[in-house]
Amino acid sequence: MEATRQVCTKKTAGDIYVPPAIGNGDLSLQIDFEGVQTQKSWNRMRPGIYRAGHRFPGGRHPLIDFGFVTQNFGSAELADWTQTLDVASGLVECEREYADGLHAVTEVFCHLQRGIVAFRVKFSRDVKYSFRYTIPVQKGLTIKCLSGSSLQYEADSLLGDKGRITLLPCRDAVCTAHGDGLSFTTSGRELEFYLLFDETLEAGESFDTLFAASRTAWKAFHDEGFVRDKTWVIATDTAFKPFEYTDESGNMAFMAQETLDANGKKTAYIVD
Protein backbone atom coordinates (compact mmCIF):
# COMPACT_ATOMS: atom_id res chain seq x y z
CA MET A 1 0.00 0.00 0.00
CA GLU A 2 1.43 3.40 -1.00
CA ALA A 3 2.07 5.80 1.85
CA THR A 4 -0.15 8.41 0.20
CA ARG A 5 -3.23 6.18 0.38
CA GLN A 6 -5.25 6.43 3.57
CA VAL A 7 -7.75 3.58 4.08
CA CYS A 8 -10.85 3.41 6.25
CA THR A 9 -13.23 0.44 6.51
CA LYS A 10 -16.58 -0.25 8.10
CA LYS A 11 -14.75 -2.19 10.80
CA THR A 12 -12.06 0.38 11.57
CA ALA A 13 -14.34 3.43 11.35
CA GLY A 14 -16.61 2.43 14.18
CA ASP A 15 -18.71 5.36 15.39
CA ILE A 16 -16.03 8.03 14.75
CA TYR A 17 -16.28 8.16 10.94
CA VAL A 18 -16.24 11.53 9.17
CA PRO A 19 -16.26 11.80 5.33
CA PRO A 20 -12.85 12.87 3.98
CA ALA A 21 -12.47 16.30 2.39
CA ILE A 22 -11.21 17.02 -1.11
CA GLY A 23 -10.86 20.30 -2.99
CA ASN A 24 -8.70 22.59 -5.08
CA GLY A 25 -8.39 25.86 -3.17
CA ASP A 26 -11.70 27.13 -4.54
CA LEU A 27 -14.05 24.17 -4.21
CA SER A 28 -14.19 22.17 -1.00
CA LEU A 29 -16.37 19.13 -0.34
CA GLN A 30 -16.63 15.85 1.57
CA ILE A 31 -17.42 12.43 0.09
CA ASP A 32 -18.89 9.67 2.25
CA PHE A 33 -18.21 5.93 1.91
CA GLU A 34 -21.01 5.49 -0.66
CA GLY A 35 -19.40 8.05 -2.95
CA VAL A 36 -21.90 10.87 -2.39
CA GLN A 37 -22.92 13.28 0.40
CA THR A 38 -25.63 11.58 2.43
CA GLN A 39 -27.32 14.26 4.50
CA LYS A 40 -26.78 13.08 8.03
CA SER A 41 -24.58 14.24 10.85
CA TRP A 42 -21.28 12.39 10.79
CA ASN A 43 -20.00 13.33 14.24
CA ARG A 44 -21.54 16.79 13.77
CA MET A 45 -20.13 17.08 10.24
CA ARG A 46 -22.75 17.30 7.46
CA PRO A 47 -21.24 16.94 3.97
CA GLY A 48 -21.61 19.84 1.57
CA ILE A 49 -19.96 21.83 -1.21
CA TYR A 50 -18.39 25.20 -0.44
CA ARG A 51 -16.24 27.74 -2.26
CA ALA A 52 -13.45 29.74 -0.64
CA GLY A 53 -14.37 33.34 0.07
CA HIS A 54 -17.96 33.02 -1.19
CA ARG A 55 -19.76 34.40 1.84
CA PHE A 56 -22.94 36.21 2.71
CA PRO A 57 -22.58 39.68 4.26
CA GLY A 58 -23.33 40.62 7.85
CA GLY A 59 -22.68 39.02 11.21
CA ARG A 60 -20.34 36.07 10.95
CA HIS A 61 -20.25 36.18 7.12
CA PRO A 62 -21.39 32.56 6.66
CA LEU A 63 -20.18 30.64 3.63
CA ILE A 64 -22.67 30.12 0.82
CA ASP A 65 -23.83 26.51 0.85
CA PHE A 66 -23.39 25.25 -2.73
CA GLY A 67 -25.34 22.10 -1.97
CA PHE A 68 -24.78 18.37 -1.93
CA VAL A 69 -25.11 15.28 -4.13
CA THR A 70 -27.10 12.09 -3.49
CA GLN A 71 -27.90 8.91 -5.39
CA ASN A 72 -30.49 6.13 -5.60
CA PHE A 73 -30.20 2.77 -7.31
CA GLY A 74 -32.62 0.62 -5.32
CA SER A 75 -29.84 -1.09 -3.42
CA ALA A 76 -30.25 -3.53 -0.56
CA GLU A 77 -28.72 -2.91 2.86
CA LEU A 78 -25.05 -2.00 2.79
CA ALA A 79 -23.09 -4.98 4.13
CA ASP A 80 -19.50 -3.77 3.98
CA TRP A 81 -17.40 -0.89 2.69
CA THR A 82 -13.85 0.35 2.25
CA GLN A 83 -12.96 3.96 1.50
CA THR A 84 -9.54 5.10 0.30
CA LEU A 85 -8.23 8.64 0.00
CA ASP A 86 -5.10 9.19 -2.07
CA VAL A 87 -3.76 12.38 -0.54
CA ALA A 88 -1.23 12.81 -3.36
CA SER A 89 -3.84 13.01 -6.13
CA GLY A 90 -7.06 13.86 -4.26
CA LEU A 91 -8.85 10.71 -5.49
CA VAL A 92 -11.48 9.14 -3.24
CA GLU A 93 -12.39 5.50 -3.92
CA CYS A 94 -15.44 3.93 -2.25
CA GLU A 95 -15.89 0.17 -2.56
CA ARG A 96 -19.11 -1.39 -1.26
CA GLU A 97 -20.82 -4.74 -0.90
CA TYR A 98 -24.61 -4.90 -0.56
CA ALA A 99 -26.72 -7.61 1.04
CA ASP A 100 -28.19 -8.66 -2.32
CA GLY A 101 -24.71 -9.40 -3.73
CA LEU A 102 -24.29 -6.12 -5.64
CA HIS A 103 -20.71 -4.84 -5.70
CA ALA A 104 -20.09 -1.15 -6.41
CA VAL A 105 -17.03 1.09 -6.69
CA THR A 106 -17.23 4.89 -6.89
CA GLU A 107 -14.28 7.15 -7.68
CA VAL A 108 -14.48 10.92 -7.10
CA PHE A 109 -11.98 13.73 -7.50
CA CYS A 110 -11.97 17.52 -7.64
CA HIS A 111 -9.79 18.83 -10.46
CA LEU A 112 -6.93 20.89 -9.04
CA GLN A 113 -6.97 23.57 -11.74
CA ARG A 114 -10.62 23.63 -12.83
CA GLY A 115 -14.09 23.81 -11.27
CA ILE A 116 -14.86 20.16 -11.96
CA VAL A 117 -15.99 17.39 -9.60
CA ALA A 118 -15.83 14.10 -11.50
CA PHE A 119 -17.60 10.84 -10.63
CA ARG A 120 -17.16 7.31 -11.94
CA VAL A 121 -19.39 4.51 -10.65
CA LYS A 122 -18.98 0.82 -11.51
CA PHE A 123 -21.51 -1.89 -10.59
CA SER A 124 -21.24 -5.66 -10.82
CA ARG A 125 -24.50 -5.71 -12.79
CA ASP A 126 -26.75 -3.28 -14.64
CA VAL A 127 -28.75 -0.97 -12.37
CA LYS A 128 -31.21 1.88 -12.75
CA TYR A 129 -29.27 4.79 -11.32
CA SER A 130 -30.45 8.25 -10.25
CA PHE A 131 -28.18 11.11 -9.23
CA ARG A 132 -29.27 14.46 -7.81
CA TYR A 133 -27.52 17.72 -7.01
CA THR A 134 -29.44 19.91 -4.54
CA ILE A 135 -28.89 23.48 -3.36
CA PRO A 136 -30.65 24.31 -0.08
CA VAL A 137 -32.80 27.43 0.16
CA GLN A 138 -30.79 30.33 1.57
CA LYS A 139 -31.72 33.94 2.17
CA GLY A 140 -29.88 36.09 -0.36
CA LEU A 141 -29.34 33.27 -2.89
CA THR A 142 -31.36 33.14 -6.11
CA ILE A 143 -31.40 30.10 -8.40
CA LYS A 144 -32.58 30.24 -12.02
CA CYS A 145 -32.88 27.30 -14.45
CA LEU A 146 -30.92 28.01 -17.64
CA SER A 147 -31.53 24.62 -19.26
CA GLY A 148 -32.19 21.02 -18.32
CA SER A 149 -28.60 20.63 -17.18
CA SER A 150 -27.58 24.10 -15.92
CA LEU A 151 -28.49 26.54 -13.18
CA GLN A 152 -27.54 30.14 -12.72
CA TYR A 153 -26.95 31.32 -9.18
CA GLU A 154 -26.76 34.88 -7.92
CA ALA A 155 -26.04 35.79 -4.33
CA ASP A 156 -26.14 38.93 -2.25
CA SER A 157 -22.62 38.18 -1.11
CA LEU A 158 -19.30 39.81 -0.35
CA LEU A 159 -17.99 38.89 -3.82
CA GLY A 160 -21.18 39.65 -5.70
CA ASP A 161 -21.45 36.00 -6.67
CA LYS A 162 -23.01 35.06 -9.98
CA GLY A 163 -22.26 31.95 -11.97
CA ARG A 164 -23.35 28.74 -13.64
CA ILE A 165 -23.50 25.19 -12.27
CA THR A 166 -23.88 22.33 -14.75
CA LEU A 167 -24.55 18.63 -14.21
CA LEU A 168 -23.16 16.76 -17.20
CA PRO A 169 -24.67 13.25 -17.17
CA CYS A 170 -23.26 10.12 -18.73
CA ARG A 171 -23.98 8.82 -22.21
CA ASP A 172 -27.56 9.45 -23.35
CA ALA A 173 -29.01 10.32 -19.94
CA VAL A 174 -31.23 13.38 -19.87
CA CYS A 175 -30.66 15.91 -17.12
CA THR A 176 -33.60 17.69 -15.48
CA ALA A 177 -33.47 21.09 -13.77
CA HIS A 178 -35.48 21.67 -10.61
CA GLY A 179 -36.07 24.78 -8.58
CA ASP A 180 -33.40 23.64 -6.15
CA GLY A 181 -31.00 21.60 -8.26
CA LEU A 182 -30.32 19.16 -11.10
CA SER A 183 -30.80 15.41 -11.58
CA PHE A 184 -30.62 12.58 -14.08
CA THR A 185 -31.65 8.92 -14.27
CA THR A 186 -30.03 6.28 -16.43
CA SER A 187 -29.32 2.55 -16.59
CA GLY A 188 -26.03 0.76 -16.90
CA ARG A 189 -23.09 -0.86 -15.23
CA GLU A 190 -20.38 1.81 -15.61
CA LEU A 191 -21.22 5.51 -15.38
CA GLU A 192 -19.22 8.73 -15.61
CA PHE A 193 -20.63 12.18 -14.91
CA TYR A 194 -19.49 15.63 -13.84
CA LEU A 195 -20.54 18.58 -11.72
CA LEU A 196 -19.16 21.78 -13.28
CA PHE A 197 -18.80 25.15 -11.59
CA ASP A 198 -18.41 27.87 -14.23
CA GLU A 199 -16.75 25.25 -16.43
CA THR A 200 -17.28 23.31 -19.66
CA LEU A 201 -15.75 20.08 -20.93
CA GLU A 202 -13.89 19.93 -24.22
CA ALA A 203 -14.55 17.23 -26.80
CA GLY A 204 -12.72 14.05 -25.89
CA GLU A 205 -12.29 14.89 -22.23
CA SER A 206 -13.17 12.00 -19.91
CA PHE A 207 -12.76 10.91 -16.32
CA ASP A 208 -9.35 9.39 -17.15
CA THR A 209 -7.98 12.37 -19.10
CA LEU A 210 -9.20 14.86 -16.53
CA PHE A 211 -7.78 12.83 -13.66
CA ALA A 212 -4.42 12.44 -15.44
CA ALA A 213 -4.18 16.22 -15.87
CA SER A 214 -5.21 16.88 -12.27
CA ARG A 215 -2.78 14.28 -10.91
CA THR A 216 0.07 15.83 -12.92
CA ALA A 217 -0.81 19.25 -11.52
CA TRP A 218 -0.86 17.86 -7.98
CA LYS A 219 2.57 16.27 -8.51
CA ALA A 220 3.99 19.57 -9.72
CA PHE A 221 2.48 21.29 -6.69
CA HIS A 222 3.95 18.78 -4.24
CA ASP A 223 7.35 18.78 -5.94
CA GLU A 224 7.56 22.56 -5.74
CA GLY A 225 6.49 22.50 -2.11
CA PHE A 226 9.25 20.13 -0.96
CA VAL A 227 12.27 21.74 0.69
CA ARG A 228 15.30 20.33 -1.12
CA ASP A 229 18.94 21.35 -1.21
CA LYS A 230 18.27 24.22 1.18
CA THR A 231 19.91 25.41 4.35
CA TRP A 232 17.60 26.17 7.25
CA VAL A 233 18.95 28.68 9.76
CA ILE A 234 17.44 27.93 13.17
CA ALA A 235 17.26 30.73 15.77
CA THR A 236 17.40 29.59 19.40
CA ASP A 237 17.51 30.97 22.95
CA THR A 238 20.58 29.39 24.54
CA ALA A 239 19.39 30.19 28.08
CA PHE A 240 16.15 28.23 27.92
CA LYS A 241 17.25 24.91 29.41
CA PRO A 242 16.26 22.09 28.89
CA PHE A 243 14.62 23.11 25.60
CA GLU A 244 17.48 25.24 24.23
CA TYR A 245 20.79 25.82 25.96
CA THR A 246 24.60 25.72 25.73
CA ASP A 247 26.19 22.61 27.22
CA GLU A 248 29.38 22.45 29.34
CA SER A 249 31.53 22.31 26.19
CA GLY A 250 29.92 25.43 24.75
CA ASN A 251 27.93 23.53 22.13
CA MET A 252 24.34 24.38 21.37
CA ALA A 253 21.87 21.74 22.52
CA PHE A 254 18.09 21.53 22.39
CA MET A 255 15.41 18.89 22.68
CA ALA A 256 14.30 19.17 19.02
CA GLN A 257 17.78 18.50 17.59
CA GLU A 258 17.10 14.85 16.77
CA THR A 259 13.80 15.72 15.09
CA LEU A 260 15.40 18.44 12.97
CA ASP A 261 18.26 16.17 11.96
CA ALA A 262 15.85 13.37 10.99
CA ASN A 263 13.66 15.73 8.95
CA GLY A 264 16.73 17.16 7.27
CA LYS A 265 17.74 13.71 6.05
CA LYS A 266 14.20 12.98 4.84
CA THR A 267 13.61 16.23 2.94
CA ALA A 268 17.20 17.04 1.95
CA TYR A 269 17.71 20.27 3.82
CA ILE A 270 20.71 21.27 5.96
CA VAL A 271 20.24 22.45 9.53
CA ASP A 272 22.65 25.27 10.32
Side-chain angles (χ1 to χ4, degrees), residues 15-62:
D15 59 358
I16 60 172
Y17 174 79
V18 174
I22 57 175
N24 60 9
D26 173 20
L27 288 165
S28 177
L29 61 149
Q30 304 85 36
I31 297 295
D32 65 37
F33 50 71
E34 291 202 77
V36 286
Q37 298 176 302
T38 305
Q39 291 300 282
K40 61 171 288 185
S41 177
W42 305 95
N43 287 288
R44 295 189 291 182
M45 170 68 76
R46 188 175 298 274
I49 302 172
Y50 299 90
R51 302 184 73 175
H54 294 249
R55 295 177 177 273
F56 290 113
R60 298 173 62 187
H61 302 300

Side-chain angles (χ1 to χ4, degrees), residues 255-271:
M255 293 181 67
Q257 181 69 58
E258 293 183 1
T259 301
L260 282 171
D261 289 343
N263 285 338
K265 292 178 181 178
K266 181 177 180 180
T267 56
Y269 64 71
I270 301 168
V271 179

Side-chain angles (χ1 to χ4, degrees), residues 157-215:
S157 66
L158 298 176
L159 297 179
D161 287 84
K162 184 177 181 180
R164 176 192 296 250
I165 302 171
T166 302
L167 175 57
L168 191 62
C170 47
R171 295 198 299 272
D172 300 325
V174 176
C175 192
T176 302
H178 310 275
D180 63 347
L182 303 161
S183 67
F184 72 84
T185 299
T186 188
S187 296
R189 183 175 296 190
E190 185 170 334
L191 316 170
E192 294 182 10
F193 46 94
Y194 312 90
L195 193 58
L196 312 177
F197 292 82
D198 301 311
E199 270 284 354
T200 59
L201 291 191
E202 301 296 331
E205 288 190 314
S206 66
F207 186 97
D208 286 330
T209 61
L210 290 168
F211 179 62
S214 183
R215 182 174 53 191

